[in-house]
Amino acid sequence: MNSLSPVEVAHRFIRSLIRKGDLCIDATVGNGHDTIFLAEQVGEKGKVLGFDVQSSAIESTRTALVKNQLAARVQLFELGHETLGAELSEEEKGCLKLVVFNLGYLPGSDKSVVTQSQSTQQALEQSLVNLQPDGAISLVAYRGHAGGNAECAAVEAWVDQLPADSYFCLRYERWTHQRGLTPVFFWIQRRDNDIA
Ligand SMILES: C[S@@+](CC[C@H](N)C(=O)[O-])C[C@H]1O[C@@H](n2cnc3c(N)ncnc32)[C@H](O)[C@@H]1O
């Protein structure tokens, strides 16, 4: 097997989970690659909510969605993901199939706008309590930039305290010559009625 990147592994997990009609969140919209991927997976009856603090990210993603005829199934918020719980309607609460995080800064953009451990954890908490019974969180953390390693460690500590009989969790990283600096993929899935 070829050396799969954490994002490629994340997309394999996501593809196997999502069904047409699902409700998903892209918690870090950026250039919109994950937003478009999710919008394709959920189909025309599904819905994707996207969050980013940068207006340029929201606008370029909006343009890309229109170009790909996917805009009708996506709602974009120029807001931090730490507010996502408050933006869910009563019908959407507890119905999330998937929340996707791609942490760090937007490549080719302002590197000072970067995700932060505290707001990431707030968003993770709000995501977790709004997952549907087999819902999941997919997260890729980058460790090469200032603060990235600490944020990844904070995510790992947060995942580590989740009860193992309630959540199926895994961590994937490639061991290369850049050991300790490569991105890490985390998958956290509710395991209601699953085997232990
Ligand atoms: C690595 S990029 C995401 C890349 C994106 N998934 C894509 O497909 O292009 C991280 C993004 O997180 C955004 N961000 C930073 N802090 C945020 C926050 N509190 N809430 C939501 N997005 C945030 C940045 O503006 C940046 O666009």
Side-chain angles (χ1 to χ4, degrees):
M1 182 186 285
N2 289 333
S3 165
L4 290 172
S5 75
V7 170
E8 287 169 329
V9 174
H11 281 199
R12 287 184 178 212
F13 273 72
I14 291 168
R15 259 196 215 96
S16 72
L17 178 74
I18 296 186
R19 299 286 175 267
K20 301 293 180 205
D22 279 341
L23 172 66
C24 299
I25 290 184
D26 184 354
T28 49
V29 165
N31 285 325
H33 298 121
D34 288 324
T35 314
I36 288 173
F37 174 63
L38 293 176
E40 288 168 345
Q41 303 301 309
V42 299
E44 57 187 355
K45 292 207 165 66
K47 188 171 174 188
V48 179
L49 311 179
F51 292 80
D52 203 294
V53 289
Q54 294 194 70
S55 56
S56 56
I58 295 294
E59 286 319 314
S60 64
T61 298
R62 203 185 302 283
T63 302
L65 287 166
V66 170
K67 195 172 159 197
N68 288 279
Q69 299 184 317
L70 294 167
R73 55 185 93 160
V74 179
Q75 194 176 355
L76 294 173
F77 299 84
E78 190 182 327
L79 291 172
H81 42 220
E82 59 277 15
T83 69
L84 71 84
E87 297 304 322
L88 295 175
S89 68
E90 285 308 312
E91 299 75 50
E92 291 168 343
K93 284 183 180 150
C95 294
L96 299 177
K97 186 64 166 283
L98 180 75
V99 185
V100 173
F101 292 82
N102 198 319
L103 301 180
Y105 60 85
L106 186 58
S109 173
D110 182 357
K111 289 189 182 167
S112 68
V113 183
V114 64
T115 54
Q116 305 286 334
S117 300
Q118 194 184 354
S119 43
T120 296
Q121 186 170 332
Q122 290 170 343
L124 285 169
E125 297 281 2
Q126 292 170 32
S127 300
L128 198 71
V129 297
N130 282 296
L131 290 180
Q132 63 180 65
D134 62 342
I137 297 171
S138 168
L139 184 148
V140 176
Y142 298 85
R143 296 182 289 181
H145 62 280
N149 213 4
E151 186 179 31
C152 184
V155 169
E156 187 164 332
W158 181 80
V159 175
D160 196 39
Q161 52 80 45
L162 296 175
D165 52 353
S166 299
Y167 299 97
F168 162 67
C169 302
L170 71 77
R171 178 189 190 284
Y172 170 91
E173 77 171 279
R174 288 180 294 182
W175 286 31
T176 71
H177 60 285
Q178 288 190 304
R179 192 166 295 183
L181 290 176
T182 56
V184 182
F185 163 58
F186 296 91
W187 180 259
I188 300 117
Q189 185 166 11
R190 274 183 68 175
R191 55 156 95 229
D192 299 38
N193 306 320
D194 189 7
I195 51 166

Coordinates of all heavy atoms in Angstrom, one line a residue, residues 4-70:
L4 N -0.3 6.5 2.7 CA -1.4 7.4 2.7 C -1.2 8.6 3.6 O -0.8 8.4 4.8 CB -2.7 6.6 3.1 CG -3.2 5.6 2.2 CD1 -4.3 4.8 2.9 CD2 -3.7 6.2 0.9
S5 N -1.5 9.8 3.1 CA -1.4 11.0 4.0 C -2.6 11.0 5.0 O -3.6 10.3 4.7 CB -1.5 12.3 3.2 OG -2.8 12.5 2.7
P6 N -2.5 11.7 6.1 CA -3.6 11.7 7.1 C -4.9 12.2 6.4 O -6.0 11.8 6.7 CB -3.1 12.7 8.1 CG -1.6 12.5 8.1 CD -1.3 12.3 6.7
V7 N -4.8 13.2 5.5 CA -6.0 13.7 4.8 C -6.6 12.6 4.0 O -7.8 12.4 3.9 CB -5.7 15.0 4.0 CG1 -6.9 15.4 3.1 CG2 -5.3 16.1 4.9
E8 N -5.8 11.8 3.3 CA -6.3 10.7 2.5 C -7.0 9.7 3.3 O -8.1 9.2 3.0 CB -5.2 10.1 1.6 CG -4.7 10.9 0.5 CD -3.4 10.4 -0.1 OE1 -2.6 9.8 0.6 OE2 -3.2 10.6 -1.3
V9 N -6.4 9.4 4.5 CA -7.0 8.4 5.4 C -8.4 9.0 5.9 O -9.4 8.3 5.9 CB -6.1 8.1 6.6 CG1 -6.8 7.2 7.6 CG2 -4.8 7.4 6.1
A10 N -8.3 10.3 6.3 CA -9.6 10.9 6.7 C -10.7 10.8 5.7 O -11.8 10.5 6.0 CB -9.3 12.4 7.1
H11 N -10.3 11.1 4.4 CA -11.3 11.0 3.4 C -11.9 9.6 3.2 O -13.1 9.4 2.9 CB -10.8 11.6 2.1 CG -10.8 13.1 2.1 ND1 -10.7 13.9 1.0 CD2 -10.9 14.0 3.1 CE1 -10.8 15.2 1.3 NE2 -10.9 15.2 2.6
R12 N -11.0 8.6 3.4 CA -11.5 7.2 3.3 C -12.5 6.9 4.4 O -13.6 6.3 4.2 CB -10.4 6.2 3.4 CG -9.5 6.2 2.1 CD -8.4 5.2 2.2 NE -7.7 5.2 0.9 CZ -7.1 4.2 0.4 NH1 -7.2 3.0 0.9 NH2 -6.5 4.3 -0.8
F13 N -12.2 7.4 5.6 CA -13.2 7.2 6.7 C -14.5 7.9 6.5 O -15.6 7.4 6.7 CB -12.5 7.6 8.0 CG -11.7 6.6 8.7 CD1 -10.5 6.2 8.2 CD2 -12.1 6.0 9.9 CE1 -9.7 5.3 8.8 CE2 -11.4 5.0 10.5 CZ -10.1 4.7 10.0
I14 N -14.3 9.1 6.0 CA -15.5 10.0 5.8 C -16.4 9.4 4.7 O -17.6 9.3 4.9 CB -15.1 11.4 5.4 CG1 -14.4 12.1 6.6 CG2 -16.3 12.2 4.8 CD1 -13.7 13.4 6.2
R15 N -15.8 8.9 3.6 CA -16.6 8.3 2.5 C -17.4 7.1 3.0 O -18.5 6.8 2.6 CB -15.7 7.8 1.4 CG -15.7 8.8 0.2 CD -15.1 8.1 -1.0 NE -14.4 9.2 -1.7 CZ -13.1 9.4 -1.6 NH1 -12.3 8.6 -0.9 NH2 -12.5 10.4 -2.3
S16 N -16.7 6.3 3.9 CA -17.4 5.1 4.4 C -18.5 5.4 5.4 O -19.4 4.6 5.6 CB -16.4 4.1 5.0 OG -15.9 4.6 6.3
L17 N -18.5 6.6 6.0 CA -19.5 6.9 7.0 C -20.7 7.6 6.4 O -21.9 7.3 6.7 CB -18.9 7.8 8.1 CG -19.8 8.3 9.2 CD1 -20.2 7.1 10.1 CD2 -19.3 9.5 10.0
I18 N -20.5 8.6 5.5 CA -21.5 9.5 5.1 C -22.5 8.8 4.1 O -22.1 8.1 3.2 CB -20.9 10.8 4.5 CG1 -20.1 11.6 5.5 CG2 -22.0 11.7 3.9 CD1 -19.6 12.9 5.0
R19 N -23.8 9.1 4.4 CA -24.8 8.7 3.5 C -25.6 9.9 2.9 O -25.5 11.0 3.5 CB -25.9 7.8 4.2 CG -25.2 6.6 4.8 CD -24.9 5.5 3.8 NE -24.2 4.3 4.3 CZ -22.9 4.2 4.4 NH1 -22.1 5.1 3.9 NH2 -22.3 3.1 4.9
K20 N -26.2 9.7 1.8 CA -27.0 10.8 1.2 C -28.0 11.3 2.2 O -28.7 10.5 2.9 CB -27.7 10.4 -0.1 CG -26.8 9.8 -1.2 CD -25.9 10.9 -1.7 CE -25.0 10.3 -2.8 NZ -23.8 11.0 -3.0
G21 N -28.1 12.6 2.3 CA -29.1 13.2 3.2 C -28.6 13.6 4.6 O -29.3 14.2 5.4
D22 N -27.3 13.2 4.8 CA -26.7 13.5 6.1 C -26.4 15.0 6.4 O -26.3 15.8 5.4 CB -25.3 12.8 6.3 CG -25.5 11.3 6.7 OD1 -26.6 11.0 7.2 OD2 -24.6 10.6 6.5
L23 N -26.3 15.4 7.6 CA -26.0 16.7 8.1 C -24.5 16.7 8.6 O -24.2 16.0 9.5 CB -26.9 17.2 9.2 CG -26.6 18.5 9.9 CD1 -26.7 19.7 8.9 CD2 -27.5 18.7 11.1
C24 N -23.7 17.6 8.0 CA -22.2 17.6 8.4 C -21.8 19.0 8.6 O -22.4 20.0 8.1 CB -21.4 17.0 7.2 SG -21.7 15.3 6.8
I25 N -20.7 19.1 9.3 CA -20.0 20.5 9.5 C -18.6 20.4 9.0 O -17.9 19.5 9.3 CB -20.1 20.9 11.0 CG1 -21.5 21.2 11.4 CG2 -19.2 22.1 11.2 CD1 -21.7 21.7 12.8
D26 N -18.2 21.4 8.3 CA -16.8 21.7 8.0 C -16.4 22.8 9.0 O -16.8 24.0 8.8 CB -16.5 22.1 6.6 CG -15.0 22.2 6.3 OD1 -14.2 22.2 7.3 OD2 -14.6 22.4 5.1
A27 N -15.6 22.5 10.1 CA -15.3 23.5 11.1 C -14.2 24.4 10.7 O -14.0 25.4 11.5 CB -15.0 22.7 12.4
T28 N -13.5 24.1 9.7 CA -12.4 25.0 9.2 C -12.4 25.0 7.7 O -11.7 24.3 7.0 CB -11.0 24.4 9.7 OG1 -11.0 23.0 9.4 CG2 -10.8 24.6 11.2
V29 N -13.2 25.9 7.1 CA -13.5 25.9 5.7 C -12.3 26.1 4.8 O -12.1 25.4 3.8 CB -14.6 26.9 5.4 CG1 -14.7 27.2 3.9 CG2 -16.0 26.4 5.9
G30 N -11.5 27.1 5.2 CA -10.2 27.4 4.4 C -10.6 27.6 2.9 O -11.5 28.4 2.5
N31 N -9.8 26.9 2.0 CA -10.1 27.0 0.6 C -11.3 26.2 0.1 O -11.6 26.2 -1.1 CB -8.8 26.6 -0.2 CG -7.7 27.6 -0.1 OD1 -8.0 28.8 -0.1 ND2 -6.5 27.2 0.0
G32 N -11.9 25.5 1.0 CA -13.2 24.9 0.7 C -13.1 23.5 0.1 O -14.1 22.9 -0.3
H33 N -11.9 22.9 0.1 CA -11.7 21.6 -0.4 C -12.6 20.5 0.3 O -13.3 19.7 -0.3 CB -10.3 21.1 -0.4 CG -9.4 22.0 -1.3 ND1 -8.3 22.7 -0.8 CD2 -9.5 22.4 -2.6 CE1 -7.8 23.5 -1.7 NE2 -8.5 23.3 -2.8
D34 N -12.5 20.6 1.7 CA -13.3 19.7 2.5 C -14.8 20.0 2.4 O -15.6 19.1 2.4 CB -12.9 19.7 3.9 CG -11.5 19.0 4.1 OD1 -11.2 18.1 3.4 OD2 -10.7 19.5 5.0
T35 N -15.1 21.3 2.3 CA -16.5 21.7 2.2 C -17.1 21.1 0.9 O -18.2 20.5 0.9 CB -16.7 23.2 2.1 OG1 -15.9 23.8 3.1 CG2 -18.1 23.6 2.3
I36 N -16.4 21.2 -0.2 CA -16.9 20.6 -1.5 C -17.0 19.1 -1.4 O -18.0 18.5 -1.8 CB -16.0 21.1 -2.6 CG1 -16.3 22.6 -2.9 CG2 -16.2 20.3 -3.9 CD1 -15.3 23.3 -3.9
F37 N -16.0 18.5 -0.8 CA -16.0 17.0 -0.7 C -17.2 16.6 0.1 O -17.9 15.7 -0.3 CB -14.7 16.6 0.0 CG -14.6 15.2 0.4 CD1 -14.6 14.2 -0.6 CD2 -14.5 14.8 1.7 CE1 -14.5 12.8 -0.3 CE2 -14.4 13.4 2.0 CZ -14.4 12.5 1.0
L38 N -17.5 17.3 1.2 CA -18.6 16.9 2.1 C -19.9 17.1 1.3 O -20.9 16.3 1.4 CB -18.6 17.7 3.4 CG -17.5 17.4 4.4 CD1 -17.6 18.3 5.6 CD2 -17.5 16.0 4.8
A39 N -20.0 18.3 0.6 CA -21.3 18.6 -0.1 C -21.5 17.5 -1.2 O -22.7 17.2 -1.4 CB -21.1 20.0 -0.8
E40 N -20.5 17.0 -1.8 CA -20.7 15.9 -2.8 C -21.2 14.7 -2.1 O -22.1 14.0 -2.6 CB -19.4 15.7 -3.5 CG -19.0 16.8 -4.5 CD -17.5 16.6 -5.0 OE1 -16.8 15.9 -4.4 OE2 -17.2 17.3 -5.9
Q41 N -20.6 14.4 -1.0 CA -21.0 13.1 -0.3 C -22.4 13.1 0.2 O -23.1 12.1 0.2 CB -20.1 12.9 0.9 CG -18.6 12.8 0.6 CD -18.2 11.7 -0.4 OE1 -18.6 10.6 -0.2 NE2 -17.6 12.1 -1.4
V42 N -22.9 14.3 0.7 CA -24.3 14.3 1.4 C -25.4 14.3 0.3 O -26.5 14.1 0.7 CB -24.4 15.5 2.4 CG1 -23.4 15.3 3.5 CG2 -24.4 16.8 1.7
G43 N -25.0 14.7 -0.9 CA -26.1 14.7 -2.0 C -27.0 15.9 -1.8 O -26.9 16.7 -0.9
E44 N -28.0 16.0 -2.8 CA -28.8 17.2 -2.8 C -29.8 17.3 -1.6 O -30.3 18.3 -1.3 CB -29.5 17.3 -4.1 CG -30.4 16.2 -4.5 CD -30.9 16.4 -6.0 OE1 -30.7 17.4 -6.6 OE2 -31.5 15.4 -6.5
K45 N -30.1 16.1 -1.0 CA -31.0 16.2 0.2 C -30.2 16.4 1.5 O -30.8 16.6 2.6 CB -31.8 14.9 0.3 CG -32.8 14.7 -0.8 CD -33.9 13.8 -0.4 CE -35.1 13.9 -1.3 NZ -34.9 13.4 -2.7
G46 N -28.9 16.4 1.4 CA -28.1 16.6 2.6 C -27.7 18.1 2.8 O -28.1 18.9 2.0
K47 N -27.0 18.3 3.9 CA -26.6 19.7 4.2 C -25.3 19.8 4.9 O -24.9 18.9 5.7 CB -27.7 20.3 5.2 CG -27.6 21.8 5.4 CD -28.8 22.3 6.1 CE -28.6 23.7 6.5 NZ -29.7 24.2 7.4
V48 N -24.5 20.8 4.5 CA -23.2 21.1 5.1 C -23.2 22.5 5.7 O -23.6 23.4 5.0 CB -22.0 20.9 4.1 CG1 -20.7 21.2 4.8 CG2 -22.1 19.5 3.5
L49 N -22.8 22.6 7.0 CA -22.5 23.9 7.6 C -21.0 24.1 7.6 O -20.3 23.3 8.0 CB -23.1 24.0 9.0 CG -24.5 23.5 9.2 CD1 -24.9 23.6 10.6 CD2 -25.5 24.3 8.3
G50 N -20.6 25.3 7.2 CA -19.1 25.6 7.2 C -18.8 26.8 8.0 O -19.5 27.8 7.9
F51 N -17.7 26.7 8.8 CA -17.3 27.8 9.6 C -15.8 28.2 9.3 O -15.0 27.3 9.2 CB -17.3 27.4 11.1 CG -18.7 27.2 11.6 CD1 -19.4 26.1 11.4 CD2 -19.4 28.2 12.3 CE1 -20.7 25.9 11.8 CE2 -20.7 28.1 12.8 CZ -21.3 26.9 12.5
D52 N -15.6 29.5 9.2 CA -14.2 30.0 9.1 C -14.2 31.5 9.6 O -15.2 32.2 9.3 CB -13.6 29.9 7.7 CG -12.1 29.9 7.8 OD1 -11.4 30.9 8.2 OD2 -11.5 28.8 7.4
V53 N -13.1 31.9 10.2 CA -13.0 33.3 10.7 C -12.6 34.3 9.7 O -12.6 35.5 9.9 CB -12.1 33.4 12.0 CG1 -12.8 32.7 13.2 CG2 -10.8 32.7 11.7
Q54 N -12.1 33.7 8.5 CA -11.5 34.6 7.5 C -12.6 34.8 6.4 O -13.0 33.9 5.7 CB -10.3 34.0 6.8 CG -9.1 33.9 7.8 CD -7.8 33.6 7.1 OE1 -7.3 34.5 6.4 NE2 -7.3 32.5 7.3
S55 N -12.9 36.1 6.1 CA -13.9 36.4 5.1 C -13.4 35.9 3.7 O -14.2 35.5 2.9 CB -14.2 37.9 5.1 OG -13.1 38.6 4.9
S56 N -12.1 36.0 3.5 CA -11.5 35.6 2.2 C -11.8 34.1 2.0 O -12.1 33.7 0.8 CB -10.0 35.9 2.1 OG -9.4 35.3 3.1
A57 N -11.7 33.3 3.0 CA -11.9 31.9 2.9 C -13.4 31.6 2.6 O -13.8 30.8 1.7 CB -11.6 31.2 4.2
I58 N -14.3 32.3 3.3 CA -15.7 32.1 3.1 C -16.1 32.5 1.7 O -16.8 31.8 1.0 CB -16.5 33.0 4.1 CG1 -16.3 32.4 5.6 CG2 -18.0 33.0 3.8 CD1 -16.8 31.0 5.8
E59 N -15.6 33.7 1.2 CA -16.0 34.1 -0.1 C -15.4 33.2 -1.2 O -16.1 32.9 -2.2 CB -15.5 35.6 -0.3 CG -16.3 36.6 0.4 CD -17.8 36.3 0.4 OE1 -18.4 36.0 -0.7 OE2 -18.5 36.3 1.5
S60 N -14.2 32.8 -1.1 CA -13.6 32.0 -2.2 C -14.3 30.6 -2.2 O -14.6 30.0 -3.3 CB -12.1 31.8 -2.1 OG -11.8 31.1 -0.9
T61 N -14.7 30.1 -1.0 CA -15.4 28.9 -1.0 C -16.8 29.0 -1.6 O -17.3 28.2 -2.3 CB -15.5 28.3 0.5 OG1 -14.2 28.1 0.9 CG2 -16.3 27.0 0.6
R62 N -17.5 30.2 -1.3 CA -18.8 30.4 -1.8 C -18.7 30.4 -3.4 O -19.6 29.8 -4.0 CB -19.3 31.8 -1.3 CG -20.9 31.9 -1.4 CD -21.4 33.3 -1.0 NE -21.0 33.7 0.3 CZ -21.5 33.4 1.4 NH1 -22.5 32.5 1.4 NH2 -21.1 33.9 2.6
T63 N -17.7 31.0 -3.9 CA -17.6 31.1 -5.4 C -17.4 29.7 -5.9 O -18.0 29.3 -6.9 CB -16.3 32.0 -5.7 OG1 -16.6 33.2 -5.2 CG2 -16.1 32.1 -7.2
A64 N -16.5 28.9 -5.2 CA -16.2 27.5 -5.7 C -17.5 26.6 -5.7 O -17.8 25.8 -6.5 CB -15.1 26.9 -4.9
L65 N -18.3 26.8 -4.6 CA -19.6 26.1 -4.5 C -20.5 26.4 -5.6 O -21.2 25.5 -6.2 CB -20.2 26.3 -3.1 CG -19.5 25.7 -1.9 CD1 -20.0 26.3 -0.6 CD2 -19.7 24.2 -1.9
V66 N -20.6 27.7 -5.9 CA -21.5 28.1 -7.0 C -21.1 27.4 -8.3 O -21.8 26.9 -9.1 CB -21.6 29.6 -7.1 CG1 -22.3 30.0 -8.4 CG2 -22.3 30.2 -5.9
K67 N -19.7 27.5 -8.6 CA -19.2 27.0 -9.8 C -19.4 25.5 -9.9 O -19.7 24.9 -11.0 CB -17.7 27.2 -9.8 CG -17.0 27.1 -11.1 CD -15.5 27.5 -11.0 CE -14.7 26.9 -12.1 NZ -13.3 26.9 -11.8
N68 N -19.4 24.8 -8.8 CA -19.7 23.3 -8.8 C -21.1 23.0 -8.5 O -21.5 21.8 -8.3 CB -18.8 22.7 -7.7 CG -17.3 22.7 -8.1 OD1 -16.9 21.8 -8.8 ND2 -16.6 23.6 -7.6
Q69 N -22.0 24.0 -8.6 CA -23.5 23.7 -8.4 C -23.8 23.0 -7.1 O -24.6 22.1 -7.1 CB -24.0 23.0 -9.6 CG -23.8 23.8 -10.9 CD -24.5 23.1 -12.1 OE1 -24.3 21.9 -12.3 NE2 -25.1 23.9 -12.9
L70 N -23.1 23.4 -6.0 CA -23.3 22.8 -4.7 C -23.7 23.8 -3.7 O -23.9 23.4 -2.5 CB -21.9 22.1 -4.2 CG -21.4 21.0 -5.1 CD1 -20.0 20.6 -4.7 CD2 -22.3 19.7 -4.9

